[in-house]
Structure formats: structure tokens, C-alpha cells
mmCIF file of all heavy atoms in Angstrom:
data_model
loop_
_atom_site.group_PDB
_atom_site.id
_atom_site.type_symbol
_atom_site.label_atom_id
_atom_site.label_comp_id
_atom_site.label_asym_id
_atom_site.label_seq_id
_atom_site.Cartn_x
_atom_site.Cartn_y
_atom_site.Cartn_z
ATOM 1 N N LEU A 1 -4.093 -5.944 -1.735
ATOM 2 C CA LEU A 1 -2.944 -5.108 -2.018
ATOM 3 C C LEU A 1 -3.022 -4.420 -3.385
ATOM 4 O O LEU A 1 -2.487 -3.324 -3.552
ATOM 5 C CB LEU A 1 -1.628 -5.925 -2.001
ATOM 6 C CG LEU A 1 -0.998 -6.076 -0.573
ATOM 7 C CD1 LEU A 1 0.109 -7.109 -0.681
ATOM 8 C CD2 LEU A 1 -0.491 -4.758 -0.079
ATOM 9 N N ASN A 2 -3.664 -5.062 -4.336
ATOM 10 C CA ASN A 2 -3.719 -4.513 -5.687
ATOM 11 C C ASN A 2 -4.876 -3.522 -5.954
ATOM 12 O O ASN A 2 -4.808 -2.806 -6.975
ATOM 13 C CB ASN A 2 -3.759 -5.634 -6.726
ATOM 14 C CG ASN A 2 -2.417 -6.381 -6.803
ATOM 15 O OD1 ASN A 2 -1.358 -5.762 -6.696
ATOM 16 N ND2 ASN A 2 -2.464 -7.650 -7.020
ATOM 17 N N SER A 3 -5.813 -3.503 -5.089
ATOM 18 C CA SER A 3 -6.987 -2.659 -5.330
ATOM 19 C C SER A 3 -7.425 -1.817 -4.143
ATOM 20 O O SER A 3 -8.355 -0.999 -4.270
ATOM 21 C CB SER A 3 -8.179 -3.500 -5.827
ATOM 22 O OG SER A 3 -8.586 -4.407 -4.800
ATOM 23 N N ALA A 4 -6.820 -1.973 -3.012
ATOM 24 C CA ALA A 4 -7.220 -1.249 -1.808
ATOM 25 C C ALA A 4 -7.131 0.249 -2.068
ATOM 26 O O ALA A 4 -6.181 0.725 -2.670
ATOM 27 C CB ALA A 4 -6.351 -1.649 -0.627
ATOM 28 N N SER A 5 -8.108 0.976 -1.579
ATOM 29 C CA SER A 5 -8.083 2.453 -1.701
ATOM 30 C C SER A 5 -7.125 3.051 -0.696
ATOM 31 O O SER A 5 -6.663 2.403 0.270
ATOM 32 C CB SER A 5 -9.476 2.996 -1.480
ATOM 33 O OG SER A 5 -9.838 2.790 -0.064
ATOM 34 N N LYS A 6 -6.801 4.300 -0.975
ATOM 35 C CA LYS A 6 -5.897 5.029 0.029
ATOM 36 C C LYS A 6 -6.570 5.030 1.376
ATOM 37 O O LYS A 6 -5.870 4.817 2.407
ATOM 38 C CB LYS A 6 -5.706 6.457 -0.479
ATOM 39 C CG LYS A 6 -4.747 6.589 -1.683
ATOM 40 C CD LYS A 6 -4.601 7.995 -2.119
ATOM 41 C CE LYS A 6 -3.483 8.189 -3.130
ATOM 42 N NZ LYS A 6 -3.679 7.348 -4.320
ATOM 43 N N ALA A 7 -7.864 5.210 1.425
ATOM 44 C CA ALA A 7 -8.577 5.268 2.729
ATOM 45 C C ALA A 7 -8.418 3.960 3.423
ATOM 46 O O ALA A 7 -8.243 3.920 4.712
ATOM 47 C CB ALA A 7 -10.039 5.627 2.505
ATOM 48 N N GLU A 8 -8.507 2.836 2.733
ATOM 49 C CA GLU A 8 -8.424 1.558 3.382
ATOM 50 C C GLU A 8 -6.999 1.307 3.946
ATOM 51 O O GLU A 8 -6.852 0.875 5.087
ATOM 52 C CB GLU A 8 -8.756 0.443 2.394
ATOM 53 C CG GLU A 8 -10.210 0.370 2.030
ATOM 54 C CD GLU A 8 -10.554 -0.647 0.972
ATOM 55 O OE1 GLU A 8 -9.748 -0.805 0.023
ATOM 56 O OE2 GLU A 8 -11.602 -1.355 1.109
ATOM 57 N N ILE A 9 -6.009 1.626 3.155
ATOM 58 C CA ILE A 9 -4.640 1.415 3.583
ATOM 59 C C ILE A 9 -4.268 2.283 4.786
ATOM 60 O O ILE A 9 -3.605 1.850 5.706
ATOM 61 C CB ILE A 9 -3.634 1.656 2.428
ATOM 62 C CG1 ILE A 9 -3.861 0.609 1.335
ATOM 63 C CG2 ILE A 9 -2.161 1.545 2.873
ATOM 64 C CD1 ILE A 9 -3.131 0.904 0.019
ATOM 65 N N LEU A 10 -4.753 3.504 4.797
ATOM 66 C CA LEU A 10 -4.440 4.430 5.843
ATOM 67 C C LEU A 10 -5.129 4.094 7.155
ATOM 68 O O LEU A 10 -4.766 4.634 8.204
ATOM 69 C CB LEU A 10 -4.769 5.860 5.464
ATOM 70 C CG LEU A 10 -3.847 6.506 4.412
ATOM 71 C CD1 LEU A 10 -4.413 7.841 3.919
ATOM 72 C CD2 LEU A 10 -2.421 6.731 5.012
ATOM 73 N N LEU A 11 -6.084 3.175 7.138
ATOM 74 C CA LEU A 11 -6.701 2.711 8.375
ATOM 75 C C LEU A 11 -5.829 1.686 9.071
ATOM 76 O O LEU A 11 -6.056 1.411 10.274
ATOM 77 C CB LEU A 11 -8.072 2.120 8.106
ATOM 78 C CG LEU A 11 -9.229 3.120 7.838
ATOM 79 C CD1 LEU A 11 -10.472 2.413 7.430
ATOM 80 C CD2 LEU A 11 -9.463 4.021 9.093
ATOM 81 N N ILE A 12 -4.875 1.096 8.399
ATOM 82 C CA ILE A 12 -3.939 0.158 9.046
ATOM 83 C C ILE A 12 -3.169 0.924 10.122
ATOM 84 O O ILE A 12 -2.512 1.936 9.819
ATOM 85 C CB ILE A 12 -2.956 -0.450 8.039
ATOM 86 C CG1 ILE A 12 -3.736 -1.254 6.963
ATOM 87 C CG2 ILE A 12 -1.943 -1.355 8.751
ATOM 88 C CD1 ILE A 12 -2.858 -1.758 5.866
ATOM 89 N N PRO A 13 -3.218 0.481 11.368
ATOM 90 C CA PRO A 13 -2.520 1.213 12.410
ATOM 91 C C PRO A 13 -1.010 1.410 12.095
ATOM 92 O O PRO A 13 -0.323 0.468 11.671
ATOM 93 C CB PRO A 13 -2.661 0.313 13.665
ATOM 94 C CG PRO A 13 -3.969 -0.427 13.385
ATOM 95 C CD PRO A 13 -3.949 -0.664 11.913
ATOM 96 N N GLY A 14 -0.572 2.620 12.273
ATOM 97 C CA GLY A 14 0.854 2.918 12.051
ATOM 98 C C GLY A 14 1.233 3.264 10.597
ATOM 99 O O GLY A 14 2.367 3.587 10.341
ATOM 100 N N VAL A 15 0.292 3.165 9.708
ATOM 101 C CA VAL A 15 0.562 3.443 8.286
ATOM 102 C C VAL A 15 0.175 4.909 8.059
ATOM 103 O O VAL A 15 -0.992 5.325 8.233
ATOM 104 C CB VAL A 15 -0.230 2.523 7.357
ATOM 105 C CG1 VAL A 15 -0.125 3.012 5.896
ATOM 106 C CG2 VAL A 15 0.375 1.132 7.445
ATOM 107 N N GLY A 16 1.140 5.700 7.555
ATOM 108 C CA GLY A 16 0.886 7.067 7.134
ATOM 109 C C GLY A 16 1.110 7.224 5.682
ATOM 110 O O GLY A 16 1.210 6.252 4.884
ATOM 111 N N ASN A 17 1.210 8.467 5.224
ATOM 112 C CA ASN A 17 1.318 8.743 3.763
ATOM 113 C C ASN A 17 2.561 8.155 3.137
ATOM 114 O O ASN A 17 2.547 7.750 2.002
ATOM 115 C CB ASN A 17 1.238 10.210 3.513
ATOM 116 C CG ASN A 17 -0.167 10.776 3.735
ATOM 117 O OD1 ASN A 17 -1.145 10.143 3.366
ATOM 118 N ND2 ASN A 17 -0.284 11.963 4.244
ATOM 119 N N ARG A 18 3.675 8.141 3.899
ATOM 120 C CA ARG A 18 4.906 7.607 3.345
ATOM 121 C C ARG A 18 4.745 6.127 3.072
ATOM 122 O O ARG A 18 5.101 5.643 1.969
ATOM 123 C CB ARG A 18 6.092 7.852 4.306
ATOM 124 C CG ARG A 18 7.406 7.196 3.850
ATOM 125 C CD ARG A 18 8.527 7.439 4.791
ATOM 126 N NE ARG A 18 9.737 6.666 4.424
ATOM 127 C CZ ARG A 18 9.943 5.416 4.780
ATOM 128 N NH1 ARG A 18 9.047 4.777 5.516
ATOM 129 N NH2 ARG A 18 11.043 4.801 4.408
ATOM 130 N N MET A 19 4.241 5.365 4.034
ATOM 131 C CA MET A 19 4.104 3.916 3.843
ATOM 132 C C MET A 19 3.000 3.611 2.828
ATOM 133 O O MET A 19 3.107 2.652 2.027
ATOM 134 C CB MET A 19 3.842 3.210 5.148
ATOM 135 C CG MET A 19 3.854 1.689 5.045
ATOM 136 S SD MET A 19 5.419 1.012 4.319
ATOM 137 C CE MET A 19 6.588 1.407 5.588
ATOM 138 N N LEU A 20 1.977 4.462 2.759
ATOM 139 C CA LEU A 20 0.939 4.335 1.746
ATOM 140 C C LEU A 20 1.591 4.379 0.350
ATOM 141 O O LEU A 20 1.285 3.561 -0.546
ATOM 142 C CB LEU A 20 -0.085 5.453 1.869
ATOM 143 C CG LEU A 20 -1.020 5.663 0.706
ATOM 144 C CD1 LEU A 20 -1.970 4.477 0.542
ATOM 145 C CD2 LEU A 20 -1.833 6.959 0.931
ATOM 146 N N HIS A 21 2.525 5.319 0.195
ATOM 147 C CA HIS A 21 3.205 5.437 -1.086
ATOM 148 C C HIS A 21 3.970 4.160 -1.410
ATOM 149 O O HIS A 21 3.940 3.671 -2.562
ATOM 150 C CB HIS A 21 4.189 6.608 -1.028
ATOM 151 C CG HIS A 21 5.104 6.688 -2.234
ATOM 152 N ND1 HIS A 21 4.714 7.096 -3.485
ATOM 153 C CD2 HIS A 21 6.417 6.329 -2.340
ATOM 154 C CE1 HIS A 21 5.723 7.027 -4.317
ATOM 155 N NE2 HIS A 21 6.773 6.573 -3.679
ATOM 156 N N GLU A 22 4.625 3.553 -0.442
ATOM 157 C CA GLU A 22 5.393 2.332 -0.691
ATOM 158 C C GLU A 22 4.442 1.162 -1.026
ATOM 159 O O GLU A 22 4.760 0.362 -1.921
ATOM 160 C CB GLU A 22 6.253 1.958 0.542
ATOM 161 C CG GLU A 22 7.140 3.082 1.039
ATOM 162 C CD GLU A 22 8.068 3.683 -0.038
ATOM 163 O OE1 GLU A 22 8.250 3.050 -1.104
ATOM 164 O OE2 GLU A 22 8.593 4.760 0.193
ATOM 165 N N PHE A 23 3.303 1.078 -0.362
ATOM 166 C CA PHE A 23 2.364 0.031 -0.644
ATOM 167 C C PHE A 23 1.908 0.123 -2.128
ATOM 168 O O PHE A 23 1.779 -0.885 -2.838
ATOM 169 C CB PHE A 23 1.094 0.155 0.227
ATOM 170 C CG PHE A 23 1.151 -0.543 1.561
ATOM 171 C CD1 PHE A 23 2.209 -0.381 2.383
ATOM 172 C CD2 PHE A 23 0.108 -1.371 1.924
ATOM 173 C CE1 PHE A 23 2.259 -1.040 3.611
ATOM 174 C CE2 PHE A 23 0.118 -2.013 3.177
ATOM 175 C CZ PHE A 23 1.192 -1.823 4.003
ATOM 176 N N GLU A 24 1.634 1.323 -2.609
ATOM 177 C CA GLU A 24 1.126 1.548 -3.936
ATOM 178 C C GLU A 24 2.171 1.477 -5.012
ATOM 179 O O GLU A 24 1.907 1.086 -6.151
ATOM 180 C CB GLU A 24 0.369 2.871 -4.021
ATOM 181 C CG GLU A 24 -0.860 2.973 -3.149
ATOM 182 C CD GLU A 24 -1.555 4.315 -3.289
ATOM 183 O OE1 GLU A 24 -0.880 5.350 -3.387
ATOM 184 O OE2 GLU A 24 -2.805 4.299 -3.267
ATOM 185 N N GLU A 25 3.400 1.850 -4.647
ATOM 186 C CA GLU A 25 4.473 1.929 -5.639
ATOM 187 C C GLU A 25 4.750 0.649 -6.386
ATOM 188 O O GLU A 25 5.080 0.651 -7.562
ATOM 189 C CB GLU A 25 5.748 2.446 -4.964
ATOM 190 C CG GLU A 25 6.917 2.605 -5.961
ATOM 191 C CD GLU A 25 8.169 3.154 -5.269
ATOM 192 O OE1 GLU A 25 8.173 3.292 -4.066
ATOM 193 O OE2 GLU A 25 9.154 3.412 -6.037
ATOM 194 N N TYR A 26 4.626 -0.484 -5.657
ATOM 195 C CA TYR A 26 5.019 -1.761 -6.246
ATOM 196 C C TYR A 26 3.878 -2.570 -6.847
ATOM 197 O O TYR A 26 4.026 -3.741 -7.172
ATOM 198 C CB TYR A 26 5.763 -2.589 -5.164
ATOM 199 C CG TYR A 26 7.014 -1.888 -4.665
ATOM 200 C CD1 TYR A 26 7.040 -1.225 -3.449
ATOM 201 C CD2 TYR A 26 8.151 -1.829 -5.460
ATOM 202 C CE1 TYR A 26 8.148 -0.543 -3.007
ATOM 203 C CE2 TYR A 26 9.270 -1.142 -5.012
ATOM 204 C CZ TYR A 26 9.264 -0.483 -3.794
ATOM 205 O OH TYR A 26 10.394 0.146 -3.375
ATOM 206 N N ARG A 27 2.732 -1.954 -6.976
ATOM 207 C CA ARG A 27 1.607 -2.644 -7.693
ATOM 208 C C ARG A 27 1.945 -2.797 -9.174
ATOM 209 O O ARG A 27 2.617 -1.976 -9.767
ATOM 210 C CB ARG A 27 0.329 -1.785 -7.538
ATOM 211 C CG ARG A 27 -0.280 -1.811 -6.170
ATOM 212 C CD ARG A 27 -1.455 -0.844 -6.083
ATOM 213 N NE ARG A 27 -2.275 -1.065 -4.883
ATOM 214 C CZ ARG A 27 -3.246 -0.261 -4.492
ATOM 215 N NH1 ARG A 27 -3.582 0.800 -5.249
ATOM 216 N NH2 ARG A 27 -3.934 -0.485 -3.403
ATOM 217 N N PRO A 28 1.427 -3.899 -9.801
ATOM 218 C CA PRO A 28 0.591 -4.944 -9.160
ATOM 219 C C PRO A 28 1.492 -6.014 -8.489
ATOM 220 O O PRO A 28 2.565 -6.323 -8.992
ATOM 221 C CB PRO A 28 -0.114 -5.599 -10.357
ATOM 222 C CG PRO A 28 0.853 -5.360 -11.499
ATOM 223 C CD PRO A 28 1.535 -4.030 -11.252
ATOM 224 N N TYR A 29 1.013 -6.488 -7.332
ATOM 225 C CA TYR A 29 1.696 -7.573 -6.627
ATOM 226 C C TYR A 29 1.263 -8.899 -7.186
ATOM 227 O O TYR A 29 0.066 -9.153 -7.397
ATOM 228 C CB TYR A 29 1.386 -7.516 -5.138
ATOM 229 C CG TYR A 29 1.896 -6.288 -4.443
ATOM 230 C CD1 TYR A 29 1.127 -5.135 -4.283
ATOM 231 C CD2 TYR A 29 3.193 -6.272 -3.902
ATOM 232 C CE1 TYR A 29 1.608 -4.022 -3.611
ATOM 233 C CE2 TYR A 29 3.687 -5.154 -3.252
ATOM 234 C CZ TYR A 29 2.896 -4.052 -3.109
ATOM 235 O OH TYR A 29 3.363 -2.925 -2.466
ATOM 236 N N ASP A 30 2.229 -9.785 -7.426
ATOM 237 C CA ASP A 30 1.868 -11.149 -7.890
ATOM 238 C C ASP A 30 1.795 -12.103 -6.725
ATOM 239 O O ASP A 30 1.482 -13.304 -6.910
ATOM 240 C CB ASP A 30 2.896 -11.670 -8.900
ATOM 241 C CG ASP A 30 4.327 -11.647 -8.367
ATOM 242 O OD1 ASP A 30 4.516 -11.346 -7.206
ATOM 243 O OD2 ASP A 30 5.238 -11.956 -9.165
ATOM 244 N N GLY A 31 2.042 -11.649 -5.519
ATOM 245 C CA GLY A 31 1.913 -12.491 -4.309
ATOM 246 C C GLY A 31 2.524 -11.756 -3.117
ATOM 247 O O GLY A 31 3.193 -10.717 -3.263
ATOM 248 N N LEU A 32 2.274 -12.339 -1.935
ATOM 249 C CA LEU A 32 2.830 -11.678 -0.738
ATOM 250 C C LEU A 32 4.312 -11.710 -0.655
ATOM 251 O O LEU A 32 4.933 -10.787 -0.081
ATOM 252 C CB LEU A 32 2.228 -12.403 0.480
ATOM 253 C CG LEU A 32 0.781 -12.001 0.857
ATOM 254 C CD1 LEU A 32 0.410 -12.658 2.181
ATOM 255 C CD2 LEU A 32 0.686 -10.476 0.980
ATOM 256 N N PRO A 33 5.029 -12.692 -1.214
ATOM 257 C CA PRO A 33 6.506 -12.611 -1.199
ATOM 258 C C PRO A 33 7.027 -11.339 -1.782
ATOM 259 O O PRO A 33 7.989 -10.772 -1.296
ATOM 260 C CB PRO A 33 6.926 -13.852 -1.946
ATOM 261 C CG PRO A 33 5.825 -14.842 -1.714
ATOM 262 C CD PRO A 33 4.585 -13.992 -1.727
#
């Protein structure tokens, strides 16, 4: 979660640019919770 590239995240089925933004917005993650 803390280092995945945009290309890696966008390969997750159903993930588009909006959800990519949310994944990246909260970095760095200290854990899955």
C-alpha cells in the first residue's frame, strides 16, 4: 500500500482513477486497519 505504483493499483479489478486517488491519499499506512 505504501509503495505500489499507479500501474499496479489500477490493475486491481474495479479500481479506477478515483479509487486510485483514495488509495494514495492516506499514505503512509501504518497497517491495514
Side-chain angles (χ1 to χ4, degrees):
L1 274 170
N2 288 324
S3 64
S5 67
K6 287 178 170 58
E8 288 177 320
I9 296 171
L10 287 170
L11 284 174
I12 299 173
V15 169
N17 287 323
R18 176 180 172 275
M19 188 54 68
L20 166 66
H21 171 76
E22 307 307 343
F23 272 50
E24 294 182 322
E25 181 178 5
Y26 299 103
R27 287 174 168 172
Y29 293 93
D30 57 5
L32 282 185

